[in-house]
Amino acid sequence: MTRSRTVVVTGGASGIGEAVVRRFTALGDEVIVLDRRKPGSPVHFVETDLNDCSSIDTAVDALDRPADVLCNVAGVSGASPVPLILGVNFFGLRHLTDRLVPRMNEGGAVVSVASTAGWYWRDHLAEVTRLIETPDFRSGVDTGAALLRDGKDAYARSKEALIVWTSLAAQCYRGHVRLNTVSPGAVETPLLPSFYASMGHAELDPLTELAGGRNGRPEEIATVVEFLASAQATWVNGTDVVADAGAEMAFALRQNSAA
């Protein structure tokens, strides 16, 4: 009989994070939610603010067992202030991951939810590299806030940084745990209206059309997260898996053919 895993999920109180919690709970895993709000499901909860390193450190120290899986799902949209976007979406996530991974059981997995907003990281690699090379949370947020004045751009760079950093970190932690990202397109969550507010229908509606005329559902993303954390994905490492019904690729190909 396979033993129950310990799965840590950030942002597990709503949206994709809540769907991830349901998924692992259904598998019989022990789930620990790190969030600012208590989840509705009866799982272990540690109140955590990913925009505060001391809160992250307190949460990690409060965990009474090694984790097998870390799912970084918490995030904010481009409608938030730039420092908050950078702090929660990347620098807080990075701090938590670096603190927790050495305490994880060998053979474990980290799965972080990025976004198709990070699709064009190659076009911004110099800027993304500047963010990644900052040594800590405070200097990272300060550097990013000086570079990025617009919430939409800050959101995209935070997700680009997450995708690139995950690939680099996967090599650093190779042999201990695997690290991958999932990049959803637009998903029907409580945050979706704020994404439309920051990105606009003109940008998002064509992608929805290319995705078959609908946005994703949280459980569809949770399924990908579950796979990447499973023993069936042991040869998947340092990789970004796009889950958007093929919309972003179709859009990029259409743009290229029109050029």
Side-chain angles (χ1 to χ4, degrees), residues 8-62:
V8 176
V9 181
T10 71
S14 64
I16 295 172
E18 185 177 30
V20 168
V21 169
R22 288 197 302 268
R23 195 87 190 177
F24 284 105
T25 300
L27 292 172
D29 293 320
E30 296 291 329
V31 178
I32 303 170
V33 170
L34 309 186
D35 205 323
R36 295 182 65 184
R37 295 189 298 115
K38 189 172 183 178
S41 54
V43 297
H44 187 58
F45 168 63
V46 180
E47 184 175 353
T48 312
D49 183 354
L50 285 177
N51 197 42
D52 182 346
C53 282
S54 64
S55 177
I56 294 169
D57 291 339
T58 298
V60 171
D61 291 340

Side-chain angles (χ1 to χ4, degrees), residues 9-245:
V9 181
T10 71
S14 64
I16 295 172
E18 185 177 30
V20 168
V21 169
R22 288 197 302 268
R23 195 87 190 177
F24 284 105
T25 300
L27 292 172
D29 293 320
E30 296 291 329
V31 178
I32 303 170
V33 170
L34 309 186
D35 205 323
R36 295 182 65 184
R37 295 189 298 115
K38 189 172 183 178
S41 54
V43 297
H44 187 58
F45 168 63
V46 180
E47 184 175 353
T48 312
D49 183 354
L50 285 177
N51 197 42
D52 182 346
C53 282
S54 64
S55 177
I56 294 169
D57 291 339
T58 298
V60 171
D61 291 340
L63 300 179
D64 60 359
R65 73 201 84 162
D68 298 288
V69 177
L70 168 62
C71 299
N72 289 310
V73 188
V76 298
S77 76
S80 300
V82 168
L84 181 64
I85 295 169
L86 297 168
V88 173
N89 289 1
F90 180 59
F91 292 108
L93 181 157
R94 181 180 72 172
H95 183 75
L96 170 65
T97 304
D98 281 338
R99 282 293 320 277
L100 192 58
V101 163
R103 304 181 181 206
M104 291 178 66
N105 288 319
E106 187 171 324
V110 177
V111 185
S112 301
V113 175
S115 168
T116 53
W119 178 272
Y120 295 100
W121 61 264
R122 295 167 186 81
D123 296 337
H124 309 120
L125 190 54
E127 203 167 69
V128 168
T129 300
R130 282 191 65 185
L131 296 178
I132 291 172
E133 288 180 346
T134 56
D136 53 42
F137 180 97
R138 186 73 268 149
S139 64
V141 170
D142 289 346
T143 297
L147 286 171
L148 305 160
R149 303 294 184 179
D150 177 76
K152 178 183 172 183
D153 288 341
Y155 180 80
R157 294 302 175 278
S158 72
K159 296 303 186 176
E160 291 168 353
L162 174 55
I163 291 168
V164 176
W165 175 80
T166 295
S167 183
L168 297 171
Q171 291 300 312
C172 292
Y173 293 120
R174 182 164 44 90
H176 180 55
V177 300
R178 295 179 297 106
L179 291 89
N180 293 288
T181 54
V182 179
S183 284
V187 178
E188 295 289 345
T189 72
L191 268 181
L192 188 58
S194 68
F195 282 108
Y196 278 105
S198 63
M199 302 177 78
H201 281 272
E203 181 170 337
L204 293 177
D205 286 352
L207 293 170
T208 301
E209 179 186 350
L210 290 168
R214 72 169 176 88
N215 294 320
R217 295 186 290 268
E219 57 269 23
E220 292 175 310
I221 310 306
T223 300
V224 182
V225 173
E226 178 199 333
F227 167 71
L228 289 174
S230 74
Q232 284 70 48
T234 52
W235 199 234
V236 185
N237 191 34
T239 298
D240 180 50
V241 177
V242 177
D244 71 340

